[in-house]
Amino acid sequence: MSSEDEENKQLADTEEAGDKKQIDPAAVGDEASAIADIHAEIDSEEDQAAAQTALEAPGSASPFHCVAVGASAGGLEAITALLRNLEPNGSAAIIVAQHMAPQHRSLLAELLAKDCAYEVVNVTDGTEIEPDKVYVNPPNCDVIVEEGKIRTVSPTIEIGPRPSIDKLLQTVAAYYGNKAVAVILSGTGSDGTLGAKSIRDGGGITIAQTPETAKFDGMPGSVIRAKLADMQLSPEEIASYVIQVASQSDFPERKVSGEHFSDDYTGPLRTVINVVLDETGIDFSGYKRATLERQLMRRVVAMRFSKVEDYLEYLVGNPGEVDILQRSFLISVTGFFRDLSAFEELRKEIEKFKEQGLLERGLRIWVPACATGEEVYTIAIMLSEAFPKELRKSNIRIYATDIDDIALETARRGLYPESVVESLPTEIIYNYFEPEGSSFRIRKWLRDMCMFARHDVTKDPPFLRMDFISCRNLMIFLNNDMQRTVLGNFHYSLVPQGLLFLGKSESVNAEDLFVPIDKDARIYRSRPGVFSTGRVNMPAGLVPRMTSENRVRTRRDESSDTGKMTLLQRFVPPTVIVDESLKPLEFIGDLGPYMSLPKGRAEFDLLALCNPQLQVELRAILGRVRRSEESVLERTLSYRLPGSGEVTDLKLIVAAMGAYAQSGGYTITFSPQARVVTPAVGPGDSEATQGEYSAADYMALDEELKRTQDHLQAVIEELETSNEELQSLNEELQASTEELQASNEELETTNEELQATNEELSTVNDELQAKSMLLTEANETLNNIQNSLDLGIVLVDKDLRIKRFTPQVLRLFGIMDGDVGQRLSRIPSHIDVPKFDELIDQVITEGMPRRIEVSQGDSRYLVSISPYRSDIGAISGGVITFSEITELTESLAQLAMKDALLARVGDTLNVGVWTGQPGYQEVVWLNDRIERIVGRGVGLLRSDPSLLFDLVHPEDRQKMRDAYTDTSSNGWNLRYRFHRRDDSVIWVEDVAARYSDPELVNETMVGYLRELSGPDD
């Protein structure tokens, strides 16, 4: 073997040894702290331009791109192919994180340098990152990036793959931002998935090797299944892609400006939002523009489009791209006990729950935008620590919601890699997590407190009667209007004095709806008796979209209305416009002399506001307008002005007119008239003069009498009308009463049905709980049986994907918990089974079990392949068992050797040899010579030992039977006669001895038969 072959073999062994410790966490989500800090500075629409610059700042800190390459088993070939096709051009630096065993000296740098145009460097702590160089990680430590340098750090947890690809990618994302590129190559498990999400959220590009070209598709497949891969390419295509992306400096992410986007989401960004809404049902119009722009431009760059418009054309015709873009808009910012000081303040409020009686009546908690569930379980842990005795007796429900179904699936599983939990105290990990390989799973009793569901807090109706809401991952991404809407929904959802916990980086004005408890920690209590003025959640599409044309038209209409109002106030007499119920809608002119606010109970209809002198007249005129076909009525009356006491003539004009006529509205105009004063009659006036004045007085009195008669007639008509209306109302009330009684009966029936349904649901719930307990018990029993059997068992489905396995199989396959769902043929194997896949497929197809023996070094195994049948008999997979038969094989070999030796002795001495148990209960072995002596087949005598007695001469049979059936006999030496099949009689010598072998469990009788020529021979 050449030196190069030896180095390749050593590196491959190193990769495999490193992968034996890896478990697939299948978790999608991590705390993007750098992004959260930047978004915390976005407080208004006016700050978005500055925020966009801040978001791009990490990428602009470096003039070149940083390409972080993660690989594991089978990665050497992929990395070599990648680097072989890269050409130095000063645009990128490469950092390689390859899993390797800690006890081996790494030769990776030397192997990669043989076929790479870049300078390959082994990493040491503090190595400066420079373009056109490849940096290779050392064994048994993690590598991270800080301030443009590579740092080596000791692993915080001893289990798991080294180095951690997730840690490297997360730090690269934090420093390089949109100039970071993640490349995930061949390997088992899912290390790199969390880091790829950090790269994507930070504006960088994520690339996964196509599973078809990967020797082991676990790692790239995990990134692809999590919808985090911007591109899926072969190693050679990745090299070309990286060169193109890193070398072109004029990509549109460098020019995100007003020529593409504006504050009201017009142009390309509005198109993107509409396309995503139509395809996914998620409306991002309430999100901050800077976040959407950055992620949109990241996809434009990733897809190698030079113009946004070209990308939009591609987006409209590709639903798969819409899904990828939509998921890139959903940035998860979460973690266990994120911002510990805020949680310490929250702990004080949680401890008050018991005093408030919430535990007794049932505690209800809502965690919207829960992402991958870390903060949900954090709250559950805090409740467990605050109420260790009451927790399991109390009815506590934590409702966790999100719109990212992949993140929700991770939250439901409750399985997190060690990089997520490594910062937690040891006692927290011990009490609330169960280790699974290099990952940690939330304990079942804690998981049962939490319920996860898909819910869009910006669109769907909120949950009700919540005692506590924790929303720390969302507000920083919403614009001001949407923040107001969401806060209003939270206030509506909470019970009075309910608790609201927001993220520390979120700057929202919530004090009109919530009372601050701790402003630094963003903890609030719901204000009772107040209501949100924000809009109510409505389904997407019902709210009209405001365009620039609408805005111009609205401003024009407002200007026109202002001019009209100016003219009315100046030239029109005092007028009030009322609706059909006489509620004032608009006041024009100075109405002070005619109207005022009443004392006592607040009433705001027209008659209550008018001066008492006008109430009777107005009521009469309005009644006539309502009853008659006339749309306008006028009436002049004497009116004493309040304050001065001056009497003047006032014309009242009541009209059903204008825009209010269709809804039964009226305009009432108060028009003062110039009054002619009649001089009084004196004692010196002539009789004619006195008579003339008396006639005028009579006319005035007559006019006043007519008005009074009209008033009385109006009152009578109003009373008659009112009486008719009251009669009609009484009949309607009677009908309504009957309807209410019928509705009440229906409600009672419905209530009884609901009670019955509730009882059924309770019964079903009890049955489900009982079944859950049975399933748990059955699973525990199965696990104990599997662990107690010294058998390696692998259960596969029809596609040969692993569904379950026992720990004993790890001796034969490099299989881990994270490999569930992977094809068995893609798992590293330490045992060679010829045509293994074909055998399994044959068993699944034909339904007939197969058994073969295979070897691994000096060990021998019996491989049994049986069909896996469902309860209805259908074959849905296969069960493969591996039984070590090394000792059995050796014992059989020894036994065969002994049998061969006995046969050789018998042939040499010309005697028939046999072995069996004392008492002749079973014949273990006979040689062929006995068949020739007694004339019966060996197989027949072995299956029915008593047949030998029937062949003995009747006179000799009893003594022979007594010797054979005596279980305490140490042996015998007999002579007797045999009857052969040809009726001939022969004499035989029968000698036997008891034999004890320490390797055998039972003692053995060994004997021989020798044919004699006569009784005296």
Side-chain angles (χ1 to χ4, degrees):
M1 182 181 296
S2 66
S3 174
E4 181 176 351
D5 292 339
E6 291 178 355
E7 292 173 347
N8 282 321
K9 183 178 184 302
Q10 181 178 353
L11 182 60
D13 294 340
T14 302
E15 296 173 358
E16 183 178 317
D19 280 333
K20 287 181 179 179
K21 299 181 179 180
Q22 184 174 359
I23 295 293
D24 182 3
V28 185
D30 188 41
E31 178 179 354
S33 57
I35 300 174
D37 293 340
I38 294 169
H39 277 295
E41 300 173 3
I42 308 176
D43 297 330
S44 66
E45 294 293 331
E46 290 75 11
D47 295 332
Q48 289 181 352
Q52 178 67 20
T53 303
L55 285 167
E56 294 183 350
S60 61
S62 171
F64 55 88
H65 283 66
C66 180
V67 182
V69 180
S72 186
L76 176 60
E77 178 181 348
I79 297 173
T80 303
L82 169 64
L83 297 182
R84 182 189 302 121
N85 291 274
L86 283 176
E87 296 181 0
N89 58 3
S91 62
I94 316 293
I95 303 177
V96 175
Q98 164 76 46
H99 291 168
M100 56 183 60
Q103 66 273 17
H104 289 278
R105 184 178 70 88
S106 173
L107 299 176
L108 182 59
E110 290 83 349
L111 295 174
L112 296 180
K114 294 180 179 180
D115 197 10
C116 177
Y118 280 60
E119 179 183 354
V120 182
V121 179
N122 276 311
V123 169
T124 58
D125 188 50
T127 300
E128 191 84 24
I129 301 177
E130 299 176 0
D132 295 342
K133 287 187 177 181
V134 177
Y135 300 91
V136 179
N137 65 273
N140 197 29
C141 67
D142 292 329
V143 289
I144 62 175
V145 172
E146 289 183 355
E147 301 297 330
K149 297 180 180 180
I150 304 179
R151 299 290 185 182
T152 58
V153 294
S154 299
T156 55
I157 298 180
E158 294 302 323
I159 59 177
R162 294 291 173 265
S164 170
I165 299 173
D166 284 329
K167 288 184 180 179
L168 172 63
L169 296 182
Q170 288 163 3
T171 56
V172 169
Y175 183 75
Y176 285 94
N178 60 9
K179 290 188 177 179
V181 179
V183 177
I184 307 299
L185 300 177
S186 172
T188 60
S190 65
D191 190 19
T193 301
L194 293 178
K197 180 166 178 53
S198 297
I199 294 287
R200 188 197 69 176
D201 292 346
I205 298 173
T206 58
I207 310 171
Q209 184 179 358
T210 52
E212 295 77 13
T213 63
K215 189 174 182 180
F216 298 98
D217 62 358
M219 282 171 44
S222 177
V223 175
I224 294 171
R225 289 191 299 273
K227 307 288 186 181
L228 295 174
D230 291 314
M231 304 295 291
Q232 301 178 40
L233 304 171
S234 66
E236 295 79 8
E237 292 171 334
I238 294 174
S240 174
Y241 181 88
V242 168
I243 292 174
Q244 181 179 359
V245 170
S247 60
Q248 294 189 12
S249 60
D250 58 347
F251 267 144
E253 94 262 22
R254 312 292 192 267
K255 316 187 234 185
V256 179
S257 63
E259 64 177 303
H260 290 300
F261 307 113
S262 61
D263 292 344
D264 57 356
Y265 295 118
T266 59
L269 190 56
R270 178 75 263 175
T271 302
V272 168
I273 292 175
N274 291 341
V275 171
V276 173
L277 175 61
D278 293 339
E279 289 292 334
T280 67
I282 300 177
D283 188 0
F284 286 97
S285 59
Y287 283 62
K288 287 182 178 176
R289 181 173 59 86
T291 303
L292 303 183
E293 284 182 1
R294 180 166 52 89
Q295 290 300 329
L296 172 60
M297 301 317 300
R298 187 190 66 82
R299 283 302 297 171
V300 173
V301 174
M303 299 301 295
R304 291 177 285 187
F305 287 100
S306 58
K307 294 181 180 180
V308 178
E309 290 74 14
D310 295 339
Y311 174 76
L312 292 183
E313 293 181 5
Y314 173 79
L315 181 70
V316 172
N318 291 271
E321 176 63 22
V322 176
D323 183 64
I324 295 175
L325 180 62
Q326 170 252 318
R327 295 189 183 280
S328 68
F329 287 162
L330 302 175
I331 299 177
S332 296
V333 184
T334 186
F336 287 103
F337 292 93
R338 185 171 61 95
D339 188 4
L340 187 58
S341 61
F343 274 99
E344 288 300 325
E345 295 300 322
L346 178 64
R347 189 187 304 273
K348 300 176 184 178
E349 298 301 321
I350 287 179
E351 292 172 350
K352 299 177 183 178
F353 287 166
K354 185 177 180 181
E355 301 174 3
Q356 299 167 356
L358 300 183
L359 296 181
E360 288 76 10
R361 71 166 173 80
L363 183 63
R364 292 167 59 84
I365 299 173
W366 181 20
V367 185
C370 68
T372 48
E374 287 91 328
E375 291 192 2
V376 180
Y377 295 122
T378 297
I379 293 174
I381 291 171
M382 294 182 67
L383 290 172
S384 177
E385 292 185 326
F387 315 110
K389 297 181 179 179
E390 300 87 348
L391 186 66
R392 302 198 183 190
K393 299 179 182 178
S394 302
N395 184 20
I396 298 178
R397 285 291 177 266
I398 303 177
Y399 300 89
T401 63
D402 203 286
I403 58 177
D404 189 343
D405 49 0
I406 293 181
L408 279 175
E409 183 61 29
T410 301
R412 288 191 184 99
R413 294 185 62 190
L415 183 67
Y416 300 96
E418 56 90 12
S419 59
V420 174
V421 303
E422 64 180 353
S423 60
L424 294 177
T426 305
E427 59 272 16
I428 294 290
I429 297 177
Y430 178 79
N431 291 329
Y432 302 105
F433 293 85
E434 294 178 347
E436 289 190 11
S438 63
S439 299
F440 295 85
R441 186 182 295 276
I442 293 290
R443 293 191 180 274
K444 186 177 183 299
W445 63 268
L446 198 68
R447 166 64 181 85
D448 290 341
M449 293 171 54
C450 309
M451 290 175 285
F452 296 91
R454 191 182 189 281
H455 180 275
D456 189 346
V457 72
T458 66
K459 180 178 66 174
D460 298 329
F463 291 84
L464 299 179
R465 300 186 304 280
M466 290 294 147
D467 300 297
F468 172 34
I469 296 178
S470 174
C471 182
R472 311 183 69 244
N473 311 325
L474 179 65
M475 292 295 189
I476 56 177
F477 302 113
L478 302 180
N479 60 32
N480 293 341
D481 292 340
M482 186 56 69
Q483 285 182 359
R484 188 67 187 172
T485 297
V486 172
L487 286 175
N489 289 334
F490 289 165
H491 183 269
Y492 178 73
S493 176
L494 285 169
V495 299
Q497 302 294 331
L499 204 63
L500 175 64
F501 185 33
L502 299 178
K504 193 172 183 179
S505 60
E506 293 163 342
S507 299
V508 295
N509 183 14
E511 296 187 10
D512 57 335
L513 299 176
F514 300 91
V515 178
I517 297 176
D518 190 311
K519 289 188 176 182
D520 292 335
R522 301 293 195 275
I523 304 175
Y524 304 86
R525 282 201 181 277
S526 175
R527 288 185 185 271
V530 299
F531 300 94
S532 171
T533 59
R535 66 178 178 87
V536 179
N537 279 350
M538 297 178 64
L542 294 184
V543 180
R545 297 167 181 163
M546 181 63 73
T547 64
S548 58
E549 181 180 353
N550 292 338
R551 292 177 184 273
V552 172
R553 185 182 297 112
T554 299
R555 288 194 293 268
R556 187 185 301 122
D557 294 342
E558 290 175 353
S559 300
S560 176
D561 291 343
T562 302
K564 291 178 181 178
M565 183 56 65
T566 301
L567 294 173
L568 290 173
Q569 294 287 352
R570 183 169 183 180
F571 297 104
V572 174
T575 301
V576 59
I577 301 175
V578 298
D579 60 13
E580 188 177 19
S581 61
L582 303 185
K583 298 294 183 183
L585 300 176
E586 191 169 342
F587 298 102
I588 302 172
D590 183 14
L591 292 164
Y594 317 106
M595 304 181 68
S596 63
L597 292 177
K599 295 181 180 180
R601 183 179 177 183
E603 295 183 10
F604 298 103
D605 63 280
L606 176 66
L607 296 178
L609 294 175
C610 282
N611 191 290
Q613 301 177 65
L614 303 174
Q615 291 178 357
V616 175
E617 195 71 35
L618 269 178
R619 183 180 287 110
I621 299 175
L622 286 169
R624 291 187 61 179
V625 171
R626 287 176 175 174
R627 292 187 300 272
S628 68
E629 296 180 356
E630 300 179 68
S631 60
V632 179
L633 279 179
E634 298 182 4
R635 183 70 53 81
T636 303
L637 69 155
S638 296
Y639 181 68
R640 186 180 300 276
L641 295 175
S644 66
E646 181 182 353
V647 178
T648 183
D649 290 335
L650 179 66
K651 180 185 289 187
L652 293 179
I653 304 173
V654 178
M657 60 182 296
Y660 300 99
Q662 296 178 356
S663 60
Y666 306 94
T667 61
I668 297 92
T669 300
F670 303 88
S671 178
Q673 304 295 313
R675 183 170 187 175
V676 177
V677 180
T678 303
V681 179
D685 293 336
S686 64
E687 183 178 351
T689 304
Q690 292 181 2
E692 182 181 355
Y693 290 152
S694 297
D697 292 339
Y698 287 142
M699 292 177 63
L701 291 172
D702 184 67
E703 181 67 24
E704 185 175 355
L705 180 59
K706 289 181 179 179
R707 288 200 301 267
T708 303
Q709 289 174 345
D710 289 341
H711 293 167
L712 290 174
Q713 182 64 31
V715 170
I716 291 171
E717 291 175 355
E718 286 182 359
L719 288 175
E720 291 176 350
T721 303
S722 298
N723 186 47
E724 294 174 357
E725 291 176 352
L726 287 174
Q727 289 178 353
S728 300
L729 181 61
N730 183 51
E731 294 174 356
E732 291 176 1
L733 286 175
Q734 290 178 352
S736 299
T737 300
E738 294 175 356
E739 291 177 359
L740 288 174
Q741 289 177 349
S743 299
N744 185 50
E745 293 174 357
E746 293 176 359
L747 288 174
E748 289 178 352
T749 303
T750 304
N751 183 51
E752 293 174 356
E753 293 175 355
L754 288 175
Q755 288 178 349
T757 303
N758 184 54
E759 292 175 358
E760 293 175 1
L761 289 175
S762 298
T763 302
V764 171
N765 184 54
D766 293 339
E767 291 178 358
L768 289 175
Q769 288 182 349
K771 289 181 179 179
S772 177
M773 294 176 61
L774 290 175
L775 287 175
T776 301
E777 182 179 353
N779 190 55
E780 292 174 352
T781 303
L782 179 59
N783 287 333
N784 280 280
I785 292 174
Q786 289 179 349
N787 294 333
S788 63
L789 294 175
D790 190 19
L791 291 176
I793 303 175
V794 181
L795 178 64
V796 298
D797 59 15
K798 286 187 174 182
D799 296 326
L800 306 189
R801 297 186 181 276
I802 300 171
K803 298 177 63 177
R804 191 171 185 139
F805 62 91
T806 61
Q808 291 81 357
V809 82
L810 298 179
R811 293 176 296 181
L812 306 176
F813 291 88
I815 190 172
M816 304 174 189
D817 290 345
D819 292 327
V820 172
Q822 299 291 325
R823 287 183 63 88
L824 183 61
S825 58
R826 289 188 173 274
I827 304 300
S829 174
H830 309 305
I831 186 171
D832 183 21
V833 182
K835 300 181 179 180
F836 197 24
D837 289 356
E838 296 179 10
L839 286 174
I840 301 174
D841 283 332
Q842 185 177 359
V843 169
I844 294 175
T845 303
E846 300 176 357
M848 299 297 296
R850 297 288 300 274
R851 290 187 177 184
I852 57 174
E853 290 186 15
V854 296
S855 60
Q856 178 197 21
D858 297 331
S859 300
R860 297 281 299 176
Y861 291 88
L862 177 64
V863 181
S864 299
I865 308 173
S866 303
Y868 178 85
R869 298 182 183 273
S870 64
D871 56 349
I872 60 175
I875 299 177
S876 58
V879 181
I880 307 144
T881 61
F882 298 87
S883 306
E884 185 173 358
I885 57 173
T886 304
E887 295 182 0
L888 177 61
T889 303
E890 293 175 353
S891 299
L892 292 175
Q894 293 177 3
L895 183 60
M897 183 180 66
K898 291 179 181 179
D899 291 343
L901 180 61
L902 286 175
R904 187 70 177 272
V905 170
D907 293 338
T908 302
L909 299 178
N910 196 21
V911 296
V913 182
W914 63 272
T915 63
Q917 293 183 356
Y920 202 58
Q921 298 175 3
E922 180 183 3
V923 175
V924 178
W925 181 80
L926 305 100
N927 70 346
D928 295 336
R929 181 63 181 169
I930 288 184
E931 182 176 348
R932 293 195 296 269
I933 294 174
V934 302
R936 294 292 188 275
V938 173
L940 186 62
L941 292 175
R942 184 181 291 114
S943 62
D944 187 8
S946 62
L947 179 62
L948 187 65
F949 299 148
D950 298 333
L951 301 179
V952 178
H953 194 278
E955 297 178 0
D956 302 329
R957 186 175 301 163
Q958 189 60 43
K959 68 175 181 179
M960 182 264 192
R961 184 189 297 272
D962 292 342
Y964 269 71
T965 58
D966 184 5
T967 58
S968 62
S969 175
N970 291 320
W972 58 82
N973 188 341
L974 302 175
R975 292 191 179 195
Y976 50 84
R977 289 164 288 180
F978 263 115
H979 273 292
R980 288 183 169 177
R981 184 173 295 179
D982 58 358
D983 293 330
S984 62
V985 178
I986 63 169
W987 284 86
V988 296
E989 181 183 32
D990 187 352
V991 179
R994 199 181 190 99
Y995 178 75
S996 298
D997 189 343
E999 296 182 1
L1000 300 177
V1001 177
N1002 299 320
E1003 294 183 329
T1004 304
M1005 297 297 295
V1006 179
Y1008 72 88
L1009 294 176
R1010 183 169 66 87
E1011 186 176 351
L1012 302 177
S1013 58
D1016 299 325
D1017 185 3

